[in-house]
Amino acid sequence: MELNSNEPTGPIEKRWDKHRFDMKLVNPANKRKFSVIMVGTGLAGGAAAASMGELGYHVKAFCYQDSARRAHSIAAQGGINAAKNYQNDGDSVFRLFYDTVKGGDFRSRESNVYRLAQMSVNIIDQCTAQGVPFAREYGGLLANRSFGGAQVSRTFYARGQTGQQLLLGAYQALARQVKAGTVDLNTRTEMLDVIIIDGVARGIVTRDMVTGAIESHLADCVVLATGGYGNVFFLSTNAKGCNTTATWRAHRNGAAFANPCYTQIHPTCIPVAGDYQSKLTLMSESLRNDGRVWVPKNAEDVTKDPGTIAESDRDYYLERRYPAFGNLVPRDIASRAAKHSCDDGLGVGPEVGGQRRGVYLDFEDAISRLGQKAIAERYGNLFEMYERITGDNPYKTPMRIYPASHYTMGGLWVDYNLMTTVPGLFAGGEANFSDHGANRLGASALMQGLSDGYFVLPYTVGNYLARTGHEEISDDHQEVRAAVERVETRMKKLLDAPNPSRTPDSFHRELGQLVWDNCGMSRNAANLEKAIERIPELREEFWDTIMVPGSGDDMNQTLEKAGRVADFLELGELMCRDALNRDESCGAHFREEHQTEDGEAKRNDEDFTYAAAWEYTGDLSAPKLHKEHLSFEYVQPSQRSYK
Amino acid sequence: MSTIDLKLHIWRQKGPSDEGRYVEYAVPGVSVHMSFLEMLDVLNEGLLEKGEEAVTFDHDCREGICGACSMVINGVPHGPQKLTTTCQLHMRQFENGPFELWVEPFRATAFPVEKDLMVDRTAFDRIIESGGYVSIRTGSATDANETPIRKQDSDLAMDAAACIGCAACVAACPNASASLFTAAKISHLALLPQGQPERYDRVRKMVAQMDAEGFGGCTNHEECEAACPKGISVSNIARMNRDMLRAMLTAEDTVNVPGGE
Ligand SMILES: Cc1cc2nc3c(=O)[nH]c(=O)nc-3n(C[C@H](O)[C@H](O)[C@H](O)COP(=O)(O)OP(=O)(O)OC[C@H]3O[C@@H](n4cnc5c(N)ncnc54)[C@H](O)[C@@H]3O)c2cc1C
Ligand code: FES
């Protein structure tokens, strides 16, 4: 396996233009002949499918929900970045590029990040033209807010429903193409394997979730836009159906998986309330613009009504430790700081599993400064959501928050064209590893999904098709039949375990806890080794005792879950191996062995300025590491400091 | 921690051609801090452990935004709490009863039951496909700030655009009408300058598709607004009807009628 980033050279601001010019174009009359499989119709896949359908390609799109409108992108609350500089506060494409490279702790590819910053501007134009109702000022122009540590106001938003509105824009564009007959949309259809013929991705195997039918679909290339793997932790802010199945199956078929240990833990989520907890709810990070984070200074106060704790007995620990950025420090820093406070016995809220895991996010000052109305206008729906879930009213008593798994920077390794190490297999959106390095800045995932979907994939996939040409493949090609058989055999194994006695959720919870404890916010070699030993055992128990009542011939949600958990059980080990290999702290990856005296992450640029791309070797416990060395021409690596 | 004991009657139906029936389940010791779906998870784990099939229900985000969850609880789509999807409904709403609950799928001719509590709502997608968009080619947009939009208009459009497509409006309507859903999309786009060129063409096509899907007509019961977890207003239906009237009064090829709101 060889990693070639295929980045263009020359001045960074010209690279994408130059690259596009060098691309081969498909003759418009020929476009219809080419078919593209698009797995996933979230922001990345929906935008790409719509744009490619519009260009005249024949697109076959797939998603597991009943409608493309329900992809997990719908849940994004806070906003989307763009270097428009509408606020005249000194923003520019270069600044967004700079912030993203620095935010990613110098573990991303400069060329990709620069392109992302460039495309950000077009995204806002595109979405506005579609009718996305971004927030506006009284003068009628678009409003912005500052978000997640950015010192400029470059985040566009639609109340607390930015992801919803952007996704509806992409979904509507997709609907238009479905109507036009260029996109053939298959909902409630789960991709379970990739079909590779002569080393090239040519199709997928799916299961119709309503009828249970296992089917093959063939095309000239395959694009995966299937989202992130944050649900490996069981508890996360992701939708319940989010999974690694598509990306993991691709990995098992030869696609390198990059930086799996880079997982983002979001600092502002509603804490776990009990052991029945099924998911965690994000409270948008924008809340940190006006909310102040604190814990009691004294352990005796943790059970007290927060209103009765005197100002002098509160520790506004972020403001204290990071005076320049205060409550707006990047996510990884805010998350670890919350963990430390709770580990020190200063956490608040109910005790679950022997510890209080919660810190206060307090709006009292903001309400007295700006008035309840202004706060309601900014965060009203979030406050309501919080009250619905917890029963507490955040206008009156501080919110309680705790970090939770939220986003995965790791994913399928892709080159500048977003192609994986398997020719003809592309990955876009959260499913790939590109752009965010070791840590993603707030409001940048929506930007990346839409940049990949609207503006990058339609070009790079077209270029690939123009260069490779079209060759017919029949459904009974031996590789097609083999892939279908692989899937059928696996279904049978899940339905007929030798000693069925444990449910998919019980395995998922156990795996999730194991990975959270050992490969979560804070990691060390001893713990990682422990997890690496335990996960294969758990996998064995899984295949021996997994219990899936019902059959594979109709709708069976337990079977769907079991298949996804089986893949998480494999990915979880790779995450830990990657975390163990990366013997440094960087971004969201914090190795306890590598910290400064005051507990800040210590990078090791000399040995680790690379993306770790893992190749599947046939033995899950012996993956092969390939390194893509990263070079920084435009932003000089420096120790991140938010002091 | 406070707990309650529940008796559930859950609609079980093997598939579209099965008749379906209520099956009774006891779920004791439910923490009031659980969500309704977490309560069903607990029930399902118990069923699986006994080797029985779990109750099938649609859900994904569990944050009240994807619109997947869809069940009728004691006769009310999404249950008793106003402005709340089933996934956001918490058991503290039942702390003082009722402790006996009937749970069934969203029912409408246009939404065949797929299994248990899960229905097929693709009719909604076909309504959007018929015209619920702005025809704009990727990459052809002008600068976003070139067209200022009055904040009030933009806010109203956002109110309508907040629809999550869950179909509680259809489930609540005695006629199983999809007017609120359709009107929300028509309003969202009709209120924005970007939606003007196709405004009347859009309303014509979407209303025709809504009728073709077998949804009933609107006779102003307003149950839809009451059931809507996002508080979408029935005033959108009035706007749709006005636009439809205007569309009918104009020939199909005069797509744009100046002087709209
Ligand atoms: C609660 C929350 C809030 C967020 N807020 C923000 C924010 O404010 N700003 C920001 O920039 N980012 C935010 N993010 C991150 C951002 O929303 C996601 O990273 C992004 O939307 C992912 O888009 P995507 O298109 O890559 O994937 P998704 O939207 O997850 O779409 C995945 C698609 O793949 C399909 N799929 C998956 N697996 C399969 C399979 N096996 N077979 C068939 N189909 C499959 C799904 O059906 C779906 O269509 C937030 C994330 C969360 C969880
Ligand atoms: S599960 Fe998404 S709205 Fe209820």
Side-chain angles (χ1 to χ4, degrees):
Chain A
M1 179 179 290
E2 219 190 302
L3 301 178
N4 184 348
S5 73
N6 290 314
E7 337 165 48
T9 49
I12 198 157
E13 60 284 355
K14 299 258 164 60
R15 285 182 193 169
W16 177 235
D17 285 348
K18 173 167 174 285
H19 192 64
R20 278 201 305 179
F21 183 75
D22 291 341
M23 283 178 180
K24 227 173 140 179
L25 298 177
V26 179
N27 176 333
N30 277 342
K31 280 185 180 148
R32 203 174 311 278
K33 275 198 220 146
F34 287 104
S35 56
V36 176
I37 284 177
M38 186 71 58
V39 190
T41 52
L43 283 182
S51 304
M52 297 202 68
E54 191 180 84
L55 284 169
Y57 298 105
H58 176 212
V59 181
K60 303 182 205 175
F62 300 84
C63 69
Y64 72 75
Q65 293 91 348
D66 63 332
S67 166
R69 68 178 293 144
R70 304 200 207 286
H72 174 58
S73 294
I74 200 102
Q77 302 168 352
I80 176 166
N81 287 333
K84 281 286 198 185
N85 195 28
Y86 282 162
Q87 304 302 320
N88 194 27
D89 57 0
D91 199 12
S92 62
V93 166
F94 196 88
R95 188 177 294 278
L96 176 54
F97 157 71
Y98 176 92
D99 287 353
T100 308
V101 171
K102 180 178 171 221
D105 219 2
F106 306 95
R107 293 293 176 265
S108 52
R109 196 188 287 146
E110 278 191 335
S111 303
N112 284 56
V113 179
Y114 195 88
R115 174 177 64 190
L116 175 65
Q118 281 176 306
M119 295 302 106
S120 70
V121 174
N122 306 17
I123 293 170
I124 300 306
D125 300 339
Q126 176 69 23
C127 298
T128 303
Q130 289 172 340
V132 169
F134 284 122
R136 288 185 181 263
E137 298 163 350
Y138 281 99
L141 301 181
L142 293 171
N144 292 113
R145 58 183 169 210
S146 128
F147 198 74
Q151 291 187 313
V152 289
S153 269
R154 61 160 74 104
T155 304
F156 294 77
Y157 60 101
R159 296 203 183 133
Q161 293 116 281
T162 316
Q164 178 196 31
Q165 295 308 314
L166 295 174
L167 183 63
L168 291 180
Y171 158 76
Q172 287 164 201
L174 182 66
R176 178 169 162 248
Q177 294 308 315
V178 172
K179 183 74 178 175
T182 61
V183 177
D184 165 15
L185 178 61
N186 302 270
T187 58
R188 288 217 211 276
T189 309
E190 187 166 30
M191 169 195 151
L192 296 176
D193 219 331
V194 193
I195 298 169
I196 303 206
I197 294 174
D198 301 329
V200 178
R202 291 302 304 269
I204 58 172
V205 182
T206 59
R207 178 170 181 274
D208 180 322
M209 294 156 75
V210 180
T211 66
I214 308 281
E215 285 162 334
S216 58
H217 303 267
L218 299 171
D220 294 297
C221 69
V222 176
V223 183
L224 302 183
T226 50
Y229 53 86
N231 272 352
V232 65
F233 295 105
F234 185 79
L235 289 179
S236 89
T237 62
N238 289 9
K240 290 296 285 175
C242 291
N243 65 88
T244 186
T245 293
T247 48
W248 192 254
R249 298 283 114 201
H251 174 61
R252 290 193 60 140
N253 279 287
F257 208 108
N259 303 332
C261 81
Y262 292 160
T263 55
Q264 183 166 78
I265 310 299
H266 197 292
T268 50
C269 305
I270 300 180
V272 176
D275 47 16
Y276 49 79
Q277 191 90 27
S278 64
K279 80 152 274 166
L280 295 170
T281 301
L282 176 80
M283 287 282 103
S284 169
E285 166 160 61
S286 59
L287 292 168
R288 284 201 277 145
N289 288 347
D290 288 304
R292 299 179 69 194
V293 177
W294 63 276
V295 291
K297 275 187 185 159
N298 310 309
E300 313 81 86
D301 289 349
V302 298
T303 51
K304 276 198 192 148
D305 170 359
T308 65
I309 300 175
E311 206 49 41
S312 57
D313 288 330
R314 300 173 176 195
D315 182 11
Y316 295 89
Y317 56 85
L318 291 177
E319 297 170 22
R320 172 173 57 78
R321 284 175 63 182
Y322 307 97
F325 282 73
N327 294 296
L328 293 175
V329 289
R331 294 178 174 174
D332 55 324
I333 294 180
S335 291
R336 274 197 301 278
K339 179 180 190 300
H340 287 154
S341 297
C342 296
D343 288 351
D344 289 347
L346 299 172
V348 296
E351 214 175 78
V352 181
Q355 213 193 11
R356 289 177 211 285
R357 291 190 185 85
V359 299
Y360 291 124
L361 179 63
D362 198 334
F363 292 88
E364 195 183 344
D365 286 355
I367 290 173
S368 53
R369 195 174 67 243
L370 305 163
Q372 177 151 336
K373 188 156 170 272
I375 294 298
E377 174 133 311
R378 280 182 205 173
Y379 312 112
N381 66 323
L382 296 170
F383 277 35
E384 281 165 28
M385 172 139 102
Y386 182 85
E387 184 167 2
R388 231 171 267 136
I389 294 173
T390 61
D392 288 342
N393 175 353
Y395 292 104
K396 301 221 166 76
T397 182
M399 283 184 177
R400 279 179 296 106
I401 53 164
Y402 196 68
S405 155
H406 175 61
Y407 180 88
T408 53
M409 282 74 69
L412 292 176
W413 184 91
V414 288
D415 67 2
Y416 189 68
N417 296 311
L418 306 185
M419 191 161 87
T420 68
T421 52
V422 175
L425 182 64
F426 293 77
E430 195 174 338
N432 72 27
F433 90 117
S434 84
D435 302 7
H436 305 296
N439 182 42
R440 174 176 72 78
L441 293 181
S444 290
L446 300 179
M447 168 172 81
Q448 184 224 330
L450 289 180
S451 167
D452 289 0
Y454 286 128
F455 300 114
V456 181
L457 285 165
Y459 283 98
T460 58
V461 171
N463 177 47
Y464 170 82
L465 295 173
R467 286 173 197 274
T468 50
H470 169 77
E471 196 192 319
E472 218 44 64
I473 293 218
S474 106
D475 268 339
D476 47 45
H477 188 287
Q478 159 196 344
E479 291 298 332
V480 179
R481 286 210 314 264
V484 170
E485 256 165 49
R486 270 200 309 273
V487 170
E488 286 171 347
T489 312
R490 201 171 124 98
M491 289 289 137
K492 279 203 198 84
K493 267 181 77 183
L494 290 168
L495 286 159
D496 301 322
N499 301 297
S501 52
R502 270 187 80 176
T503 65
D505 270 359
S506 97
F507 278 106
H508 198 170
R509 279 184 196 275
E510 184 175 344
L511 173 74
Q513 191 69 48
L514 191 66
V515 181
W516 179 251
D517 289 344
N518 300 300
C519 195
M521 270 186 279
S522 172
R523 301 140 179 204
N524 63 55
N527 282 351
L528 288 166
E529 276 160 5
K530 209 169 65 190
I532 288 169
E533 211 177 291
R534 176 65 189 136
I535 296 173
E537 292 168 5
L538 196 58
R539 263 198 316 263
E540 236 173 77
E541 285 166 42
F542 176 89
W543 289 107
D544 182 40
T545 62
I546 185 67
M547 165 105 142
V548 182
S551 84
D553 303 333
D554 68 342
M555 182 168 279
N556 189 338
Q557 292 180 315
T558 313
L559 180 62
E560 293 160 20
K561 260 192 209 167
R564 294 172 191 160
V565 176
D567 289 325
F568 280 131
L569 277 164
E570 299 185 356
L571 167 80
E573 180 178 345
L574 189 66
M575 274 173 71
C576 295
R577 289 189 180 277
D578 186 43
L580 184 62
N581 170 69
R582 191 163 285 280
D583 199 10
E584 65 160 348
S585 294
C586 63
H589 170 66
F590 188 77
R591 279 286 297 267
E592 288 158 10
E593 300 92 325
H594 302 285
Q595 51 183 313
T596 61
E597 260 166 34
D598 45 1
E600 304 301 334
K602 235 163 83 183
R603 257 185 8 242
N604 173 351
D605 288 344
E606 200 165 315
D607 299 320
F608 291 98
T609 308
Y610 65 78
W614 298 91
E615 179 184 353
Y616 176 67
T617 58
D619 176 355
L620 287 166
S621 298
K624 183 156 183 247
L625 174 64
H626 300 266
K627 299 176 183 174
E628 179 196 344
H629 289 278
L630 303 166
S631 55
F632 293 89
E633 284 173 68
Y634 290 86
V635 190
Q636 277 320 302
S638 55
Q639 206 66 39
R640 275 194 320 167
S641 171
Y642 293 93
K643 291 264 171 194
Chain B
M1 187 191 284
S2 149
T3 62
I4 52 178
D5 299 328
L6 292 179
K7 189 200 252 184
L8 302 178
H9 304 268
I10 296 187
W11 186 259
R12 302 295 312 250
Q13 183 173 337
K14 274 204 139 325
S17 54
D18 179 30
E19 263 193 5
R21 69 215 64 84
Y22 282 105
V23 177
E24 194 182 305
Y25 301 97
V27 191
V30 172
S31 156
V32 297
H33 297 300
M34 281 184 193
S35 70
F36 196 86
L37 298 187
E38 283 168 344
M39 184 275 292
L40 290 181
D41 290 343
V42 170
L43 167 70
N44 274 342
E45 283 292 286
L47 291 177
L48 292 180
E49 275 158 17
K50 286 190 281 183
E52 290 175 32
E53 269 194 71
V55 177
T56 301
F57 60 89
D58 225 338
H59 67 106
D60 204 17
C61 73
R62 297 203 176 190
E63 306 200 345
I65 190 74
C66 76
C69 61
S70 43
M71 50 187 88
V72 174
I73 302 163
N74 280 3
V76 184
H78 290 309
Q81 193 178 7
K82 288 273 165 245
L83 298 174
T84 303
T85 54
T86 311
C87 60
Q88 293 274 282
L89 178 66
H90 278 65
M91 299 313 293
R92 65 181 71 86
Q93 295 297 322
F94 299 93
E95 201 159 3
N96 303 311
F99 302 115
E100 184 165 12
L101 304 175
W102 275 263
V103 186
E104 59 186 313
F106 279 6
R107 292 187 197 277
T109 324
F111 296 154
V113 172
E114 286 178 326
K115 190 169 182 174
D116 297 340
L117 303 173
M118 192 183 260
V119 298
D120 175 354
R121 286 171 287 184
T122 46
F124 269 16
D125 296 298
R126 288 187 294 274
I127 293 176
I128 300 295
E129 284 159 21
S130 71
Y133 42 74
V134 172
S135 301
I136 157 93
R137 210 175 317 111
T138 301
S140 62
T142 55
D143 186 88
N145 260 355
E146 242 170 51
T147 316
I149 303 178
R150 228 161 58 105
K151 183 176 186 311
Q152 294 86 331
D153 292 338
S154 166
D155 284 350
L156 261 186
M158 179 65 211
D159 288 344
C163 166
I164 59 173
C166 67
C169 47
V170 176
C173 176
N175 309 334
S177 166
S179 290
L180 191 62
F181 168 78
T182 310
K185 186 48 63 192
I186 286 171
S187 276
H188 158 206
L189 297 174
L191 285 160
L192 296 172
Q194 289 82 0
Q196 297 314 308
E198 296 164 291
R199 179 170 178 178
Y200 298 99
D201 200 29
R202 177 182 308 117
V203 69
R204 202 180 282 131
K205 288 176 174 164
M206 289 180 74
V207 169
Q209 188 65 35
M210 173 175 85
D211 294 341
E213 293 291 345
F215 292 106
C218 170
T219 47
N220 301 317
H221 287 271
E222 304 194 0
E223 297 287 345
C224 51
E225 183 182 293
C228 176
K230 299 295 140 179
I232 307 288
S233 156
V234 289
S235 65
N236 290 300
I237 300 183
R239 188 176 292 108
M240 169 172 79
N241 290 340
R242 279 203 302 279
D243 275 15
M244 190 58 198
L245 198 66
R246 203 187 281 262
M248 287 191 315
L249 293 174
T250 37
E252 291 231 358
D253 51 359
T254 21
V255 170
N256 198 1
V257 181
E261 60 196 297

